[in-house]
């Protein structure tokens, strides 16, 4: 039934076997009841399989050292592993090479890097930056503040009632004064898969650039920067079986060449005098200070792990679970699901149950071992548009099963009946 052996995958994630505490206030439970963990909060962060943990442990056990500057053997080994991790990321997303891949802390830092290094230098009054109403705060707040600093206008492409991007509005908002379009590839709230290539075409037709927030797409489906025709793209390692503290910014080489550094210090310079400094080659020009070495190496290990399973098969698996969850939650009744239909979305479902606050729902689900997210998912303005303060979100990954979706639906039914 699955596109790959999910049981074998689960064996690589011991955390999935753990139990979580039962709650004595829940029907049929007392404090001695532990329940199986059903982890459905993957859009927030994913788990890390043993081969990735091992690769990180091996770095610390065998060749922990600072990179770039050492002549000694350990430093050389660490440098090769860390630098080659950039090649792995570049290959994974179809970039031309490591020059186009900058390691950052996460998607948020990648967004800020471009906003500060490119935006502060290039934007001014009369320019506009076009976002979507479904942007994550990582992009929304960043461009909003850069707009305030530079005088550039920030516009928002509207979302239709079905949770899709209104492309007629996109065509109207993107104009000759548009310097940048920054759009989320897969919405972390609606699950909408946005037509990034079409947005890129609109941006480029008006001599603008496009930045794709791929935090919810690169972990879950094949993504190729040339196919999407994007100028910048960002994603986070921790949402794709890698460690926290590492993410990547892809940028077209000539754009990155033209940009001034965002952070200054060691490791990013070539020659320094008391008066002047010159910069290292790409990508190191944008990686000031000691980088996240173990995390970078773990990031590459995570990508190799995902590639072994196959990104197309991971996409199929998540679609299967998302569609199944969408249908079952719809059948339950009294559940409002946000975003497009089940067969048109990324691997997540955000919803509200009539009469139950999302936080209460999440807390009851927790009693059943079901870990979901409740809140605004860093999309407050979108929630305002939806007319709700918060929603519950279940998000799936390669190790999740149909039985776990059933556990989610059973627990949602219990919660609904409890509050009825
Ligand atoms: N964009 C989207 C669409 C996201 O879902 C997230 C994470 N929730 C981010 C950006 C930010 O990622 P990070 O916190 O790793 O910087």
């Amino acid at each position: 039934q699955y596109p790959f052996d999910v049981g074998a995958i689960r064996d690589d994630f011991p955390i999935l076997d753990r139990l979580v505490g039962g709650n004595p206030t829940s029907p049929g439970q007392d404090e001695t009841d532990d329940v199986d963990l059903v982890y459905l909060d993957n859009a927030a962060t994913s788990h890390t399989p043993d081969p990735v943990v091992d690769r990180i442990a091996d770095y610390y056990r065998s060749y922990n050292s600072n990179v770039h500057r050492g002549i000694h053997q350990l430093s050389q080994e660490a440098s090769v592993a860390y630098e080659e991790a950039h090649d792995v990321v570049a290959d994974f997303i179809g970039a031309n090479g490591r020059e186009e891949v900058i390691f950052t802390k996460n998607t948020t830092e990648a967004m800020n890097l471009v906003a500060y290094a490119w935006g502060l230098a290039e934007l001014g009054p009369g320019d506009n930056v076009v976002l979507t109403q479904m942007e994550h705060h990582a992009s929304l707040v960043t461009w909003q503040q850069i707009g305030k600093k530079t005088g550039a206008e920030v516009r928002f492409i509207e979302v239709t009632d079905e949770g899709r991007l209104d492309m007629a509005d996109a065509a109207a908002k993107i104009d000759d004064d548009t310097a940048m379009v920054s759009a989320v590839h897969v919405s972390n709230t609606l699950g909408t898969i946005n037509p990034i290539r079409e947005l890129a075409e609109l941006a480029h037709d008006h001599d603008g650039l496009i930045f794709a927030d791929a935090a919810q797409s690169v972990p879950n489906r094949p993504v190729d920067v040339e196919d999407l025709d994007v100028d910048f793209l960002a994603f986070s390692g921790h949402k794709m079986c890698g460690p926290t503290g590492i993410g990547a910014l892809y940028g077209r080489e000539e754009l990155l060449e033209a940009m001034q550094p965002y952070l200054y210090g060691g490791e990013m310079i070539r020659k320094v005098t008391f008066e002047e400094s010159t910069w290292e080659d790409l990508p190191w020009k944008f990686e000031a200070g000691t980088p996240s070495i173990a995390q970078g190496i773990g990031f590459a290990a995570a990508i190799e792990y995902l590639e072994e399973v196959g990104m197309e098969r991971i996409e199929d698996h998540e679609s299967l679970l998302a569609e199944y969850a969408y249908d079952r939650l719809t059948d339950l009744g009294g559940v409002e699901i946000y975003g497009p239909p089940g067969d048109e979305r990324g691997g997540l479902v955000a919803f509200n149950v009539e009469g139950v606050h999302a936080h209460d729902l999440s807390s009851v689900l927790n009693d059943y071992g079901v870990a979901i997210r409740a809140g605004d998912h860093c999309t407050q303005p979108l929630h305002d548009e939806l007319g709700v303060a918060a929603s519950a979100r279940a998000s799936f990954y390669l190790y999740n099963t149909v039985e776990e979706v059933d556990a989610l639906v059973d627990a949602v039914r219990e919660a609904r009946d409890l509050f009825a």
Side-chain angles (χ1 to χ4, degrees):
Q1 146 202 31
Y2 298 123
F4 48 85
D5 185 348
V6 177
I9 294 286
R10 288 180 72 87
D11 289 343
D12 289 333
F13 294 83
I15 198 169
L16 299 175
D17 292 332
R18 68 161 284 185
L19 303 172
V20 286
N23 187 319
T25 62
S26 288
Q29 294 190 15
D30 62 44
E31 57 273 88
T32 62
D33 280 322
D34 281 338
V35 289
D36 289 326
L37 170 69
V38 174
Y39 186 81
L40 302 178
D41 193 19
N42 296 288
T45 206
S46 64
H47 290 309
T48 318
D50 279 345
V52 176
V53 175
D54 290 347
R55 197 85 73 85
I56 295 167
D58 180 49
Y59 161 76
Y60 281 118
R61 292 209 171 101
S62 318
Y63 60 102
N64 172 45
S65 208
N66 210 330
V67 290
H68 302 323
R69 52 171 92 104
I71 303 289
H72 64 83
Q73 183 173 340
L74 260 53
S75 175
Q76 286 179 23
E77 288 175 12
S79 298
V80 168
Y82 178 72
E83 291 174 13
E84 284 182 357
H86 291 66
D87 302 335
V88 172
V89 174
D91 281 350
F92 186 55
I93 56 167
N96 289 320
R98 64 170 68 163
E99 300 75 25
E100 297 191 322
V101 173
I102 295 154
F103 279 2
T104 60
K105 192 169 60 168
N106 48 31
T107 305
T108 306
E109 190 182 79
M111 190 72 70
N112 276 269
L113 193 163
V114 173
Y116 278 85
W118 175 88
L120 281 188
E122 300 293 331
L123 295 172
D127 293 325
N128 68 64
V129 176
V130 180
L131 312 186
T132 77
Q133 283 185 335
M134 55 178 105
E135 287 317 290
H136 186 280
H137 295 166
S139 127
L140 196 157
V141 178
T142 303
W143 290 114
Q144 181 187 67
Q145 295 307 311
I146 292 295
K148 289 186 196 302
K149 284 182 201 293
T150 60
E153 182 196 349
V154 182
R155 300 176 174 175
F156 295 91
I157 302 168
E158 289 186 9
V159 175
T160 66
D161 290 344
E162 300 80 42
R164 298 189 189 89
L165 219 48
D166 182 339
M167 290 308 285
D169 193 46
K173 296 237 164 87
I174 299 171
D175 63 20
D176 286 345
D177 296 325
T178 301
M180 175 69 80
V181 174
S182 184
V184 67
H185 189 187
V186 173
S187 163
N188 66 317
T189 300
L190 300 174
T192 316
I193 303 160
N194 285 318
I196 293 295
R197 204 191 151 86
E198 278 176 57
L199 291 171
E201 207 174 309
L202 281 171
H204 293 152
D205 281 350
H206 294 282
D207 292 330
L209 301 177
I210 179 154
F211 190 136
D213 170 354
Q216 298 294 350
S217 60
V218 164
N220 312 302
R221 57 191 52 244
V223 169
D224 184 290
V225 292
E226 297 230 332
D227 284 351
L228 292 177
D229 199 20
V230 287
D231 300 296
F232 298 103
L233 179 135
F235 51 102
S236 301
H238 69 93
K239 293 184 198 285
M240 47 193 288
C241 296
T244 50
I246 193 82
L249 169 68
Y250 158 81
R252 271 203 296 120
E253 189 175 350
E254 66 262 35
L255 291 169
L256 295 176
E257 277 296 353
M259 278 158 56
Q260 287 299 304
Y262 165 53
L263 295 172
Y264 298 94
E267 312 240 4
M268 53 75 69
I269 48 81
R270 182 168 298 155
K271 174 84 184 125
V272 179
T273 67
F274 285 122
E275 292 77 29
E276 290 298 336
S277 303
T278 57
W279 315 135
E280 251 301 1
D281 289 338
L282 289 173
W284 323 121
K285 175 175 116 178
F286 290 104
E287 293 189 12
T290 299
S292 300
I293 304 166
Q295 290 85 343
I297 291 167
F299 193 15
I303 289 173
E304 283 163 10
Y305 184 84
L306 293 175
E307 279 184 317
E308 200 149 309
V309 182
M311 292 313 293
E312 268 155 31
R313 292 196 287 170
I314 292 172
E315 179 184 9
D316 288 346
H317 181 68
E318 285 189 42
S319 301
L320 179 147
L321 294 180
E323 194 170 347
Y324 181 65
Y326 186 95
D327 291 345
R328 287 224 52 204
L329 286 169
T330 305
D331 290 347
L332 213 48
V335 177
E336 185 176 11
I337 302 177
Y338 306 107
D343 57 353
E344 271 184 51
R345 50 171 58 232
L348 61 93
V349 180
F351 59 96
N352 267 305
V353 178
E354 210 175 299
V356 188
H357 192 281
H359 287 132
D360 293 334
L361 179 74
S362 167
S363 153
V364 174
L365 262 55
N366 183 50
D367 297 343
Y368 289 89
V370 180
I372 60 153
R373 195 79 162 178
D376 57 46
H377 322 307
C378 297
T379 56
Q380 281 181 18
L382 176 66
H383 276 79
D384 288 345
E385 289 293 311
L386 295 171
V388 291
S391 58
R393 180 186 70 190
S395 52
F396 312 107
Y397 210 18
L398 72 167
Y399 37 69
N400 288 125
T401 63
V402 164
E403 289 72 26
E404 288 182 307
V405 176
D406 289 335
L408 164 76
V409 175
D410 289 346
V412 169
R413 185 190 297 108
E414 295 289 341
R416 185 196 60 186
D417 295 348
L418 193 67
F419 286 93

